[in-house]
Amino acid sequence: MTRVDPGAPLVGRRRLAVPRVAVVGVHGYGAAHILNALALQDRGILELVALVDPAGGPLIRDGVRVPEERLPVRLDSMDDLLGRIPVDIVVIATPLHTHAALAMAALRAGADVLLEKPPVTDLATLALLEGAVAETGGMVQVGFQSLGSHALAELQRAIAAGELGELRAIGASGSWTRPHGYWTRSRWAGRRHLDGERVADGAVANPFAHAVMTSLRIAGWDTPEAIGGIETDLRRVNDIEVDDTSTVLVRPSAVGAARFAGTLTCAFTLAGPVEADPVVLVRGTEGEATLSYTTDRLTLSTRAGETQYGRTDLLENLIHARRGDAGLLSPLAATGGFVRVIETVGDAPVRPIGDGHVTWEGEGAERRPVLRDAEGAVRRAVAAERLFSELDGLAWR
Protein backbone atom coordinates (compact mmCIF):
# COMPACT_ATOMS: atom_id res chain seq x y z
CA MET A 1 0.00 0.00 0.00
CA THR A 2 2.93 2.36 0.51
CA ARG A 3 3.97 2.19 -3.15
CA VAL A 4 3.69 5.95 -3.65
CA ASP A 5 5.85 8.77 -4.94
CA PRO A 6 5.83 11.55 -2.32
CA GLY A 7 7.93 13.67 -4.69
CA ALA A 8 5.33 13.72 -7.47
CA PRO A 9 4.40 17.08 -9.05
CA LEU A 10 2.05 19.23 -7.01
CA VAL A 11 -1.63 19.25 -7.91
CA GLY A 12 -3.90 22.23 -7.29
CA ARG A 13 -6.02 22.11 -4.13
CA ARG A 14 -9.80 22.36 -4.33
CA ARG A 15 -12.08 23.63 -1.55
CA LEU A 16 -15.46 22.18 -2.50
CA ALA A 17 -18.50 22.74 -0.29
CA VAL A 18 -19.10 18.96 -0.25
CA PRO A 19 -15.65 17.36 -0.40
CA ARG A 20 -14.93 13.99 -1.98
CA VAL A 21 -13.44 11.67 0.63
CA ALA A 22 -11.47 8.42 0.42
CA VAL A 23 -10.53 6.11 3.31
CA VAL A 24 -7.16 4.36 3.06
CA GLY A 25 -6.84 1.34 5.36
CA VAL A 26 -10.30 -0.10 5.90
CA HIS A 27 -9.87 -2.87 8.45
CA GLY A 28 -9.45 -2.39 12.20
CA TYR A 29 -10.15 1.23 13.12
CA GLY A 30 -10.46 2.07 9.42
CA ALA A 31 -13.93 0.52 9.52
CA ALA A 32 -14.93 3.09 12.16
CA HIS A 33 -13.79 5.87 9.81
CA ILE A 34 -15.92 4.39 7.04
CA LEU A 35 -19.02 4.26 9.24
CA ASN A 36 -18.39 7.84 10.34
CA ALA A 37 -17.95 9.00 6.73
CA LEU A 38 -21.19 7.26 5.73
CA ALA A 39 -23.03 9.03 8.58
CA LEU A 40 -21.63 12.40 7.47
CA GLN A 41 -22.55 11.56 3.87
CA ASP A 42 -26.14 10.93 4.98
CA ARG A 43 -26.15 14.47 6.35
CA GLY A 44 -24.88 15.89 3.07
CA ILE A 45 -21.53 16.95 4.55
CA LEU A 46 -19.26 14.84 2.30
CA GLU A 47 -19.24 12.28 -0.49
CA LEU A 48 -17.44 8.98 0.17
CA VAL A 49 -15.94 8.06 -3.20
CA ALA A 50 -13.36 5.31 -2.60
CA LEU A 51 -11.81 2.83 -0.19
CA VAL A 52 -8.19 1.70 -0.46
CA ASP A 53 -6.79 -1.53 0.98
CA PRO A 54 -5.00 -4.47 -0.64
CA ALA A 55 -6.72 -6.92 1.71
CA GLY A 56 -10.13 -8.19 0.69
CA GLY A 57 -12.91 -9.50 2.86
CA PRO A 58 -15.88 -7.92 4.59
CA LEU A 59 -15.63 -4.76 6.65
CA ILE A 60 -16.59 -5.38 10.27
CA ARG A 61 -16.74 -2.98 13.21
CA ASP A 62 -17.67 -4.07 16.73
CA GLY A 63 -18.96 -7.35 15.32
CA VAL A 64 -21.27 -5.66 12.80
CA ARG A 65 -20.66 -6.03 9.07
CA VAL A 66 -20.78 -2.83 7.01
CA PRO A 67 -23.33 -3.36 4.18
CA GLU A 68 -21.54 -3.75 0.85
CA GLU A 69 -24.25 -1.84 -1.00
CA ARG A 70 -23.34 1.29 0.96
CA LEU A 71 -19.67 1.16 0.05
CA PRO A 72 -17.95 2.94 -2.86
CA VAL A 73 -15.34 1.49 -5.20
CA ARG A 74 -12.51 -0.45 -3.49
CA LEU A 75 -8.95 -0.03 -4.77
CA ASP A 76 -5.70 -1.82 -4.01
CA SER A 77 -3.28 1.08 -3.54
CA MET A 78 -2.86 4.81 -3.03
CA ASP A 79 -1.44 5.02 -6.55
CA ASP A 80 -4.69 3.58 -7.91
CA LEU A 81 -6.67 6.17 -5.97
CA LEU A 82 -4.63 9.25 -6.86
CA GLY A 83 -4.28 8.21 -10.49
CA ARG A 84 -7.98 7.53 -11.08
CA ILE A 85 -10.31 9.41 -8.75
CA PRO A 86 -10.41 13.12 -7.84
CA VAL A 87 -10.41 13.35 -4.06
CA ASP A 88 -10.37 16.27 -1.62
CA ILE A 89 -9.77 14.54 1.72
CA VAL A 90 -7.90 11.30 2.37
CA VAL A 91 -8.47 9.52 5.68
CA ILE A 92 -5.43 7.35 6.50
CA ALA A 93 -5.86 4.47 8.95
CA THR A 94 -2.96 2.24 7.94
CA PRO A 95 -0.07 0.67 9.91
CA LEU A 96 1.94 3.23 11.89
CA HIS A 97 5.10 3.04 9.79
CA THR A 98 3.21 3.84 6.55
CA HIS A 99 1.60 7.10 7.71
CA ALA A 100 4.17 9.63 6.50
CA ALA A 101 4.60 8.38 2.92
CA LEU A 102 0.87 8.05 2.35
CA ALA A 103 0.10 11.46 3.88
CA MET A 104 2.75 13.19 1.77
CA ALA A 105 1.43 11.55 -1.39
CA ALA A 106 -2.11 12.72 -0.59
CA LEU A 107 -0.94 16.26 0.13
CA ARG A 108 1.01 16.50 -3.11
CA ALA A 109 -2.02 15.22 -5.02
CA GLY A 110 -4.04 18.18 -3.74
CA ALA A 111 -5.90 16.51 -0.87
CA ASP A 112 -6.12 17.36 2.79
CA VAL A 113 -5.58 14.54 5.28
CA LEU A 114 -7.12 13.05 8.40
CA LEU A 115 -4.21 10.95 9.70
CA GLU A 116 -4.71 8.33 12.38
CA LYS A 117 -2.64 8.53 15.55
CA PRO A 118 0.23 8.41 16.12
CA PRO A 119 0.97 10.60 13.09
CA VAL A 120 4.62 9.50 12.98
CA THR A 121 7.00 7.99 15.51
CA ASP A 122 10.09 10.21 15.30
CA LEU A 123 10.88 13.90 14.98
CA ALA A 124 12.83 13.58 11.72
CA THR A 125 9.80 12.11 9.95
CA LEU A 126 7.56 14.73 11.55
CA ALA A 127 9.78 17.44 10.05
CA LEU A 128 9.45 15.87 6.59
CA LEU A 129 5.67 15.73 6.87
CA GLU A 130 5.47 19.30 8.20
CA GLY A 131 7.61 20.35 5.23
CA ALA A 132 5.09 18.77 2.86
CA VAL A 133 2.27 20.66 4.59
CA ALA A 134 4.14 23.94 4.19
CA GLU A 135 5.02 23.22 0.55
CA THR A 136 1.54 22.19 -0.54
CA GLY A 137 -0.62 24.44 1.64
CA GLY A 138 -2.57 21.36 2.71
CA MET A 139 -4.07 20.50 6.07
CA VAL A 140 -3.31 17.49 8.24
CA GLN A 141 -5.66 16.74 11.10
CA VAL A 142 -4.36 13.98 13.41
CA GLY A 143 -6.89 11.46 14.69
CA PHE A 144 -6.67 12.24 18.39
CA GLN A 145 -10.45 12.10 18.86
CA SER A 146 -10.15 13.15 22.50
CA LEU A 147 -9.05 16.62 21.36
CA GLY A 148 -12.57 17.13 20.04
CA SER A 149 -14.02 16.48 23.49
CA HIS A 150 -16.12 19.29 24.92
CA ALA A 151 -15.15 17.97 28.36
CA LEU A 152 -11.52 18.75 27.55
CA ALA A 153 -12.51 22.20 26.32
CA GLU A 154 -14.40 22.86 29.55
CA LEU A 155 -11.43 21.68 31.63
CA GLN A 156 -9.15 24.04 29.71
CA ARG A 157 -11.58 26.90 30.31
CA ALA A 158 -11.68 26.12 34.05
CA ILE A 159 -7.88 26.06 34.23
CA ALA A 160 -7.55 29.33 32.31
CA ALA A 161 -10.09 30.95 34.64
CA GLY A 162 -8.02 29.93 37.67
CA GLU A 163 -10.68 27.59 39.01
CA LEU A 164 -8.08 25.00 40.04
CA GLY A 165 -5.51 27.55 41.12
CA GLU A 166 -1.92 27.05 40.02
CA LEU A 167 -1.42 23.66 38.36
CA ARG A 168 0.90 21.33 40.27
CA ALA A 169 0.63 17.97 38.52
CA ILE A 170 -0.94 16.20 35.54
CA GLY A 171 -1.28 12.43 35.39
CA ALA A 172 -2.56 9.97 32.80
CA SER A 173 -3.54 6.50 33.97
CA GLY A 174 -4.93 3.50 32.11
CA SER A 175 -5.47 -0.18 32.85
CA TRP A 176 -6.77 -2.23 29.94
CA THR A 177 -6.69 -5.90 29.07
CA ARG A 178 -5.45 -7.18 25.71
CA PRO A 179 -5.40 -10.86 24.65
CA HIS A 180 -2.70 -12.71 22.74
CA GLY A 181 -4.61 -12.10 19.51
CA TYR A 182 -4.08 -8.36 19.87
CA TRP A 183 -0.33 -8.84 19.49
CA THR A 184 -0.66 -11.26 16.56
CA ARG A 185 -3.29 -9.32 14.59
CA SER A 186 -0.76 -8.12 12.01
CA ARG A 187 2.93 -8.27 11.08
CA TRP A 188 3.59 -4.89 12.71
CA ALA A 189 1.74 -5.48 15.99
CA GLY A 190 4.06 -5.33 18.99
CA ARG A 191 7.08 -4.44 16.87
CA ARG A 192 9.66 -1.68 17.23
CA HIS A 193 10.86 -1.96 13.64
CA LEU A 194 9.60 -3.75 10.56
CA ASP A 195 11.19 -3.96 7.10
CA GLY A 196 13.65 -1.24 8.07
CA GLU A 197 10.89 1.13 9.22
CA ARG A 198 10.27 2.40 12.75
CA VAL A 199 6.94 1.10 14.11
CA ALA A 200 6.95 1.58 17.91
CA ASP A 201 3.62 -0.16 18.54
CA GLY A 202 3.78 -0.05 22.33
CA ALA A 203 1.26 0.90 25.02
CA VAL A 204 2.43 4.51 25.27
CA ALA A 205 2.65 5.19 21.53
CA ASN A 206 -0.52 3.49 20.36
CA PRO A 207 -3.28 2.21 22.71
CA PHE A 208 -2.78 5.02 25.24
CA ALA A 209 -1.63 7.66 22.75
CA HIS A 210 -4.81 9.66 23.41
CA ALA A 211 -3.99 9.81 27.12
CA VAL A 212 -0.51 11.13 26.41
CA MET A 213 -1.64 13.66 23.82
CA THR A 214 -4.57 14.91 25.90
CA SER A 215 -2.27 15.44 28.88
CA LEU A 216 0.25 17.31 26.76
CA ARG A 217 -2.54 19.53 25.40
CA ILE A 218 -3.60 20.40 28.96
CA ALA A 219 0.02 21.14 29.87
CA GLY A 220 0.42 23.32 26.77
CA TRP A 221 3.45 21.31 25.62
CA ASP A 222 2.64 21.14 21.90
CA THR A 223 6.20 21.44 20.58
CA PRO A 224 9.36 19.37 21.10
CA GLU A 225 11.04 22.47 22.53
CA ALA A 226 8.51 22.60 25.38
CA ILE A 227 9.79 19.34 26.81
CA GLY A 228 12.91 19.03 28.90
CA GLY A 229 13.57 15.66 30.55
CA ILE A 230 11.82 12.34 29.91
CA GLU A 231 12.27 9.32 32.20
CA THR A 232 10.92 5.91 31.27
CA ASP A 233 10.33 2.57 32.95
CA LEU A 234 9.01 0.25 30.26
CA ARG A 235 7.97 -3.35 30.97
CA ARG A 236 6.33 -6.22 29.12
CA VAL A 237 4.56 -9.41 30.15
CA ASN A 238 3.92 -10.48 26.54
CA ASP A 239 6.53 -11.85 24.15
CA ILE A 240 6.79 -8.62 22.15
CA GLU A 241 9.43 -6.03 21.28
CA VAL A 242 7.62 -3.06 22.84
CA ASP A 243 6.10 -2.07 26.18
CA ASP A 244 2.72 -3.22 27.46
CA THR A 245 3.14 -1.91 31.04
CA SER A 246 4.79 1.49 31.31
CA THR A 247 5.55 4.58 33.33
CA VAL A 248 6.86 7.80 31.83
CA LEU A 249 7.73 11.06 33.59
CA VAL A 250 7.81 14.17 31.41
CA ARG A 251 9.19 17.48 32.65
CA PRO A 252 9.23 20.83 30.88
CA SER A 253 12.03 22.90 29.45
CA ALA A 254 12.15 26.58 30.29
CA VAL A 255 9.85 27.12 27.31
CA GLY A 256 7.35 24.55 28.52
CA ALA A 257 7.50 25.69 32.14
CA ALA A 258 5.98 29.00 31.09
CA ARG A 259 2.77 27.04 30.43
CA PHE A 260 3.02 24.33 33.13
CA ALA A 261 6.02 23.91 35.41
CA GLY A 262 5.10 20.58 37.00
CA THR A 263 5.51 16.93 36.05
CA LEU A 264 3.37 14.89 33.68
CA THR A 265 3.18 11.29 34.90
CA CYS A 266 1.93 8.56 32.58
CA ALA A 267 1.21 5.05 33.92
CA PHE A 268 -0.39 2.35 31.77
CA THR A 269 -0.86 -1.38 31.51
CA LEU A 270 -2.43 -3.67 28.93
CA ALA A 271 -2.35 -6.54 31.43
CA GLY A 272 -5.00 -5.35 33.84
CA PRO A 273 -7.77 -7.55 35.29
CA VAL A 274 -10.59 -5.68 33.51
CA GLU A 275 -11.12 -2.95 30.93
CA ALA A 276 -11.30 0.28 32.98
CA ASP A 277 -11.88 3.82 31.73
CA PRO A 278 -8.54 5.63 31.41
CA VAL A 279 -8.42 9.11 32.91
CA VAL A 280 -6.36 12.27 32.98
CA LEU A 281 -5.95 13.74 36.48
CA VAL A 282 -5.14 17.41 37.04
CA ARG A 283 -4.15 18.77 40.45
CA GLY A 284 -3.96 22.45 41.31
CA THR A 285 -3.53 24.51 44.45
CA GLU A 286 -7.29 25.18 44.65
CA GLY A 287 -8.83 21.98 43.28
CA GLU A 288 -8.56 18.82 41.21
CA ALA A 289 -10.10 17.50 38.00
CA THR A 290 -10.68 14.05 36.52
CA LEU A 291 -11.23 13.78 32.78
CA SER A 292 -12.46 10.51 31.30
CA TYR A 293 -11.28 11.23 27.78
CA THR A 294 -12.90 8.17 26.16
CA THR A 295 -16.37 8.98 27.48
CA ASP A 296 -16.22 12.81 27.65
CA ARG A 297 -16.98 12.98 31.37
CA LEU A 298 -15.46 15.61 33.64
CA THR A 299 -15.39 15.93 37.41
CA LEU A 300 -14.13 19.13 39.06
CA SER A 301 -13.69 19.23 42.82
CA THR A 302 -14.82 22.86 42.70
CA ARG A 303 -18.23 21.84 41.31
CA ALA A 304 -20.89 19.32 42.33
CA GLY A 305 -20.97 15.97 40.57
CA GLU A 306 -19.73 14.63 37.27
CA THR A 307 -20.79 16.23 33.98
CA GLN A 308 -21.27 14.46 30.65
CA TYR A 309 -20.23 16.40 27.54
CA GLY A 310 -20.36 15.88 23.79
CA ARG A 311 -17.64 15.77 21.17
CA THR A 312 -16.82 17.43 17.85
CA ASP A 313 -16.02 14.95 15.10
CA LEU A 314 -12.53 15.52 13.70
CA LEU A 315 -13.44 14.79 10.07
CA GLU A 316 -16.32 17.25 10.24
CA ASN A 317 -14.00 19.77 11.92
CA LEU A 318 -11.50 19.32 9.06
CA ILE A 319 -14.24 20.03 6.54
CA HIS A 320 -15.19 23.23 8.38
CA ALA A 321 -11.52 24.23 8.59
CA ARG A 322 -11.19 23.80 4.81
CA ARG A 323 -14.01 26.32 4.40
CA GLY A 324 -12.41 28.75 6.84
CA ASP A 325 -15.24 28.30 9.36
CA ALA A 326 -13.08 26.79 12.14
CA GLY A 327 -9.54 25.98 13.18
CA LEU A 328 -8.25 22.43 13.30
CA LEU A 329 -8.74 20.84 16.70
CA SER A 330 -5.85 18.40 16.26
CA PRO A 331 -3.38 19.90 13.76
CA LEU A 332 -0.15 18.12 12.90
CA ALA A 333 1.79 21.20 14.06
CA ALA A 334 0.56 20.65 17.64
CA THR A 335 1.85 17.06 17.91
CA GLY A 336 5.58 17.81 18.22
CA GLY A 337 5.60 17.32 21.99
CA PHE A 338 3.82 14.00 21.62
CA VAL A 339 6.25 12.77 18.95
CA ARG A 340 9.16 13.80 21.18
CA VAL A 341 7.76 11.60 23.95
CA ILE A 342 7.08 8.52 21.85
CA GLU A 343 10.42 8.81 20.04
CA THR A 344 12.11 8.64 23.45
CA VAL A 345 9.91 5.73 24.49
CA GLY A 346 10.68 3.97 21.21
CA ASP A 347 14.41 4.12 21.93
CA ALA A 348 14.24 3.23 25.65
CA PRO A 349 14.89 -0.29 27.00
CA VAL A 350 11.96 -2.63 27.70
CA ARG A 351 12.33 -5.13 30.56
CA PRO A 352 10.35 -8.38 30.82
CA ILE A 353 8.28 -9.04 33.93
CA GLY A 354 8.78 -12.52 35.37
CA ASP A 355 6.11 -15.16 34.76
CA GLY A 356 5.68 -15.58 38.52
CA HIS A 357 3.88 -12.23 38.66
CA VAL A 358 1.43 -13.02 35.85
CA THR A 359 -1.67 -15.20 35.66
CA TRP A 360 -2.86 -16.28 32.22
CA GLU A 361 -6.59 -16.65 31.55
CA GLY A 362 -8.44 -18.09 28.55
CA GLU A 363 -7.29 -20.08 25.54
CA GLY A 364 -5.89 -19.47 22.06
CA ALA A 365 -6.12 -15.96 20.66
CA GLU A 366 -8.26 -14.93 23.67
CA ARG A 367 -5.61 -16.00 26.19
CA ARG A 368 -4.72 -12.90 28.20
CA PRO A 369 -2.28 -11.97 30.97
CA VAL A 370 -3.31 -10.51 34.31
CA LEU A 371 -0.40 -8.80 36.04
CA ARG A 372 -0.50 -8.87 39.81
CA ASP A 373 -1.34 -5.45 41.31
CA ALA A 374 -1.29 -3.81 37.86
CA GLU A 375 -4.19 -1.46 38.57
CA GLY A 376 -2.82 -0.50 41.98
CA ALA A 377 0.64 0.16 40.55
CA VAL A 378 -0.82 2.45 37.88
CA ARG A 379 -2.78 4.46 40.46
CA ARG A 380 0.14 4.70 42.86
CA ALA A 381 2.62 5.80 40.21
CA VAL A 382 0.40 8.68 39.11
CA ALA A 383 -0.38 9.75 42.68
CA ALA A 384 3.29 9.70 43.71
CA GLU A 385 4.66 11.01 40.37
CA ARG A 386 7.05 8.06 40.32
CA LEU A 387 8.21 5.32 37.98
CA PHE A 388 7.19 1.74 38.74
CA SER A 389 10.79 1.06 39.83
CA GLU A 390 10.43 3.71 42.53
CA LEU A 391 7.28 2.31 44.17
CA ASP A 392 7.77 0.61 47.54
CA GLY A 393 6.24 -2.81 47.98
CA LEU A 394 5.67 -3.54 44.28
CA ALA A 395 6.77 -7.15 43.80
CA TRP A 396 7.71 -6.84 40.12
CA ARG A 397 9.34 -3.42 40.31
Side-chain angles (χ1 to χ4, degrees), residues 166-167 219-221 225-228 251-262:
E166 182 180 351
L167 293 194
W221 299 344
E225 294 76 21
I227 294 173
R251 296 185 175 90
S253 66
V255 173
R259 299 293 302 275
F260 168 59

Side-chain angles (χ1 to χ4, degrees), residues 336-354:
F338 171 82
V339 175
R340 166 78 188 283
V341 171
I342 65 169
E343 179 181 71
T344 300
V345 168
D347 291 335
V350 181
R351 293 189 290 161
I353 294 175

